[in-house]
Amino acid sequence: MRFDVITLFPELFAPFLSSGINRRAFETGAVELKLWQLRDYADGTYRRVDDRPFGGGPGMVMLAEPLEKCLLAIRQDRALKNPLEQPVPVVLFSPIGQPLNHAGVEEWSQSEGAILICGRYEGLDQRFIDAHVDVQVSLGDFVLSGGEIAAIALLDAVARLQPGVLNDEGSHQMDSFNPALDGLLDCGHFTRPEVWKGVTVPTVLMSGHHADIAKWRRQQSLVLTQKYRPDLILGARLAGKLSTQDENFLSHLGAAGLVENKSD
Ligand code: SAH
């Protein structure tokens, strides 16, 4: 899979590509990433990429022309490297888009990739968006100063789903939101020491009894999801992912799901 990123700040991506568990995805080429400096496609001595908005008002707007030149260069490069590839979608990071979620990340992680555009200033000239953008993706209902953090968030989430990236293959299966499992939140985790500041690790986790541990984790997951994201419990129920034991357990939780589930 290959992602091309159009950005004015390619250097923001370097630490992310060379650190942590995801480094493997980029080093092995499981996720190919190519950064394109938009300024290289701008004309004139000053290589201008923005201008004042028609109609007045604060801020600057990204020019359509350099964006289109850069996009065409990417399309050409992709076609040269892989002549059989179908054109991949153009994604713009923007507060207008659907907020990124697990289902979206899974879709991208199984795709051929995409061309990602990181906006800056007040955003892009609308005519470029209308002519070329296929999907708009938001990171949430707040405003970033640029699309780079949103692009890194998407790439990070996609990279960790690639086979062989996480040390433990099954690890992401247990993560929150995984619909293949149930879409619930992950349970809490504990590590050494057994007692920290007078608080002991739940005894069941020390028992070595795998079935009991699995049951306890399932119940913790139900407790946390009921407490913090009851909408996900409803979703799991509708998708038929809650067993009779799950339903029995849930019906014994407090009305708001606030009862702590002790280790036994
Ligand atoms: N004037 C715009 C904000 C521009 S912020 C507005 O009010 O909607 C500059 C750039 O940051 C945007 O073009 C976009 O690429 C990026 N950005 C800002 N908020 C974002 C968000 N919530 N999700 C994804 N990208 C965002």
Side-chain angles (χ1 to χ4, degrees), residues 21-90:
I21 201 97
N22 283 339
R23 182 163 50 102
R24 228 174 289 162
F26 300 105
E27 278 176 0
T28 61
V31 180
E32 200 185 332
L33 184 64
K34 200 158 176 183
L35 301 167
W36 300 76
Q37 168 55 270
L38 178 62
R39 214 168 283 283
D40 293 344
Y41 298 87
D43 292 329
T45 329
Y46 297 107
R47 295 200 167 268
R48 203 168 175 164
V49 292
D50 60 335
D51 210 332
R52 286 192 300 270
F54 280 123
M60 302 295 270
V61 178
M62 291 173 83
L63 297 167
E65 194 61 23
L67 282 164
E68 184 172 68
K69 277 194 186 145
C70 186
L71 179 60
L72 295 180
I74 294 172
R75 290 266 190 233
Q76 232 170 31
D77 190 64
R78 289 189 75 119
L80 272 174
K81 301 249 162 68
N82 188 359
L84 297 178
E85 181 186 85
Q86 293 296 311
V88 292
V90 175

Side-chain angles (χ1 to χ4, degrees), residues 61-136:
V61 178
M62 291 173 83
L63 297 167
E65 194 61 23
L67 282 164
E68 184 172 68
K69 277 194 186 145
C70 186
L71 179 60
L72 295 180
I74 294 172
R75 290 266 190 233
Q76 232 170 31
D77 190 64
R78 289 189 75 119
L80 272 174
K81 301 249 162 68
N82 188 359
L84 297 178
E85 181 186 85
Q86 293 296 311
V88 292
V90 175
V91 177
L92 172 64
F93 293 103
S94 161
I96 282 183
Q98 280 297 309
L100 192 59
N101 62 14
H102 183 86
V105 167
E106 278 232 310
E107 246 175 66
W108 291 117
S109 78
Q110 285 155 21
S111 72
E112 290 299 311
I115 299 169
L116 310 179
I117 305 182
C118 304
R120 282 270 157 180
Y121 318 121
E122 289 307 316
L124 282 55
D125 188 308
Q126 187 61 40
R127 291 166 296 182
F128 174 85
I129 300 175
D130 295 341
H132 293 296
V133 170
D134 300 304
V135 193
Q136 302 199 52

Side-chain angles (χ1 to χ4, degrees), residues 182 184-187 215-230 233 236-237 241-243 245-250 253 257 259 261:
D182 45 34
L184 302 182
L185 299 178
D186 194 8
C187 62
K215 180 177 168 199
W216 182 85
R217 287 186 167 150
R218 177 70 180 177
Q219 291 181 344
Q220 281 294 299
S221 172
L222 290 165
V223 169
L224 290 175
T225 312
Q226 176 79 315
K227 180 172 174 180
Y228 294 104
R229 291 292 302 274
I233 294 277
R237 184 171 289 135
K241 302 276 185 182
L242 297 183
S243 66
Q245 285 103 307
D246 291 337
E247 292 291 10
N248 282 341
F249 179 76
L250 283 168
L253 283 179
V259 176
N261 178 31

